[in-house]
Amino acid sequence: MKAIRRFTVRTVLPEQLQPLHELALNLRWSWHPETRELFRSVDPEVWSAVGEDPVRLLGEVPAARLSALAADRRFLRRLGDLADDLRDYLAGPRWYQSAPAPGDGTGPLPAAIAYFSPEYGIAAAMPQYSGGLGILAGDHLKAASDLGVPLVGVGLFYRHGYFRQSLSRDGWQQERYPLLDPDELAVSLLREPDGTPCRVDLALPGGRTLAAQIWKAQVGRVPLLLLDSDIEPNTAAEREVTDRLYGGGSEHRLLQEMLLGIGGVRAVRTYGRLTGHPVPEVFHTNEGHAGFLGVERISELVGAGLDFAAALEAVRAGTLFTTHTPVPAGIDRFDRELVARHFSGDAALPGVPVDQVLALGVESWPGGDPKLFNMAAMGLRLAQRANGVSTLHGEVSRGMFSGLWPGFDAAEVPITSITNGVHAPTWIDPAVVRLAAGLLGQEQAEDAMATGEARRWTGLERIGNGEIWELRRALRSQLVDEARQRLRASWRQRGAGDAELGWVDAALDPDVLTIGFARRVPSYKRLTLMLRDPVRLRSLLLHPTRPVQIVVAGKAHPADDGGKRLIQQLVRFADDPEIRHRIVFLPDYDMAMATHLYPGCDVWLNNPLRPLEACGTSGMKAALNGCLNLSVLDGWWDEWYDGRNGWAIPTADGVSSTLDPESPEAERRDDIESAALYDLIEHQVAARFYDRAADGLPHAWIAMVRHTLVTLGPKVLAGRMVREYVERLYAPAALAQRELAGSDHLGARELAGWKARIRDGWPAVRVEHVETEGLSEAQELGSTLTLRVQVSLGALEPGDVEVQVVSGRVDESDGISDAVALTLKPAGGPDLDGRHRYEGSLELCRTGPFGYTVRVLPAHQLLASPAELGLAALPAETPGMNAGLLR
């Protein structure tokens, strides 16, 4: 029989144990080992049975045990100390509170930043994530908390979260969506002063309303607001809007993203009204899913008296857009008519005409589809600042989105990059922390993990070879034990009996080189590249003196049958009795598994199609534990691989650029790269791992581990990442927002009027004549050219523009690379024909083929980039940047 109603009965804690609730409801426990150990000591068996979840632990621990703890003076002292420690953590000054002010130092750092993401990976006990985007968002919040950055997180509360994965007997992925009970999670309902739940309402077509309540999770110092549509006022269809992560059809996804963006802004306003939390000066949208937050903020400002254009400028100034997508196919795109229906008529946002909404997402560039609404295009148009998530990804993004800035080379597209990082206290195994603390001291070790500054890691180079090797074997053994438990549970789910599973106790070996591969399973990540030559792989796994073992995990999207086939192919290979002790697939990859997998592997494998891995943070987590990376030069590895921290898998550049895995070119490319992978593993990786000195230690391998910890440790941290966001993006955005918002948004009104005047007058702007003095066929290094340029500005003024000479190395088609721009100075008023003259000197500072051109750009002190308007006037007689050539 099934229950007709479900609810949770909470344990009433004795008064002496009340601080346990305080500790359980702040998710800092998920990265604070001492607090986790306290909860484990409450009842180790229950702690393990509830998946190390403090909220569930307190709901299931026997009353007799609680009574005993209430009389245990030693336990109460520990509890009191940890409760005091949490309060100090929440209230005391941290990095942000003493960080230098931005710009000229006269303005403060942002009072608050609102951070929007469709998913958050905070802890395994809060399954509101599917993969890297959510884990990154969770790490961003945790690092912000450790640094004292006043972030407010915004997301959706998914009643079923993401799916749990198991395997059928033949290795096919199975999904199930267990119902999540908020009363069993570390969340609390946001309520009005009279006790009623807070609500946000969105108008929908046909007079319908999408209502949502707001759950708050406390992530250290950072509140995380999660909107939940599964409430009584909604019809069945609206209640299911937040049913599960990345599920449903196109309209379902659109409603989720409207609720996240529009409803999320309203949730932030509600939270501020109730708590007095500072009003966010900066809004950060993590990928395009939350892009509608900008439309809602425009509506707010129009309601306060601004026109649409001025409101758009005010919103853009304080908005940051982070893209994680290296291919157009990864961007959410909706039918234009579907979006129009949800932003017009009785569903329209006040003060925001539907045509203005549609213009924000239009694919206006050559090759774009005018029938689609592009969420990334909207995100970029609504944000004055944007970034990719690694240096290479920033370059890829500038090329991918260059159509939004016509007239500019991809290198000048205003998308910067901040390389992702990972939250060290979450991902470093406690044994690694203990080893570091023994050398650096506990306080410095904790500070080093939080801030990501190289100077704080000084001292790790003193770790002894024996200590490193002993640690690595202990972590490998820990992974072997965990893998065997999971492997046995998986086979039981697949229908195997205990009599068939005796072999599991010998699966994997704590003394064998262990390679890990775990991630989502889209085709570009190439889960099965390792299977291209099964005979070669078998020989590596079963090598008589230098064997290799591989631990694999990952989930395919429920709708991705291609990804499921890849998993099935690998599982069937791993099921072979001859090799199943050397290669295993562990289903249901999540944060709980990852905390064993990253530390326990010796090598972390990553072989995506370059450059489709935007960052690839799993390898960062592995590196923090002394695991070496074996990866294609993509994402973060492309910028930080140095030859001593792992191995770079060669790529077959030029063989194939297709993304179709079935094409002949792709087949040849995969054959070449898999062969290179096998060679690396056999002749370099395994050879170095098993090269032992007389003392039994692989000293060359250990040197690479030590180098990885010392050099990559400070770089891969989320603390470093968040500090970069504060200094390079949040602080400048806050300054820009203040300049436009002051004096009743006078700056926003002026900037909007100026942009309108520039756009109207730009067709008349021309470079009429370029005169060069000192030019000869053979120029000497260090010589100088004098340039005189005549420009027609039409109705615009000289103060509206900047005239530049752009120079650099030229290729065979006269395209300029490594360009350097130099501003030319006005030289007198307009001539009789209204032309303005500009002059300047160009120093020839490099040898070889050299070229230059001149251009006119809009110029205003409130522009974040000269390319912001996408307008540039070049010499009419030479298309592109090739007005002058020096060879």
Side-chain angles (χ1 to χ4, degrees), residues 719-730:
R720 183 272 311 156
M721 172 190 73
V722 171
R723 285 192 296 108
E724 287 193 35
Y725 273 107
V726 169
E727 295 163 353
R728 295 175 49 199
L729 295 172
Y730 292 163

Side-chain angles (χ1 to χ4, degrees), residues 23 28 32 34-35 79-91 446:
L23 294 174
R28 186 198 181 213
H32 193 248
E34 292 85 354
T35 304
L79 175 59
D81 289 344
L82 286 170
D84 289 342
D85 179 73
L86 175 60
R87 295 181 193 114
D88 290 343
Y89 173 86
L90 297 177
E446 292 177 359

Side-chain angles (χ1 to χ4, degrees), residues 566-585:
L566 295 178
I567 291 175
Q568 185 180 49
Q569 183 183 350
L570 191 138
V571 169
R572 286 178 171 175
F573 179 84
D575 283 351
D576 186 332
E578 291 187 9
I579 57 172
R580 63 189 179 187
H581 63 299
R582 286 283 186 260
I583 181 169
V584 299
F585 181 88

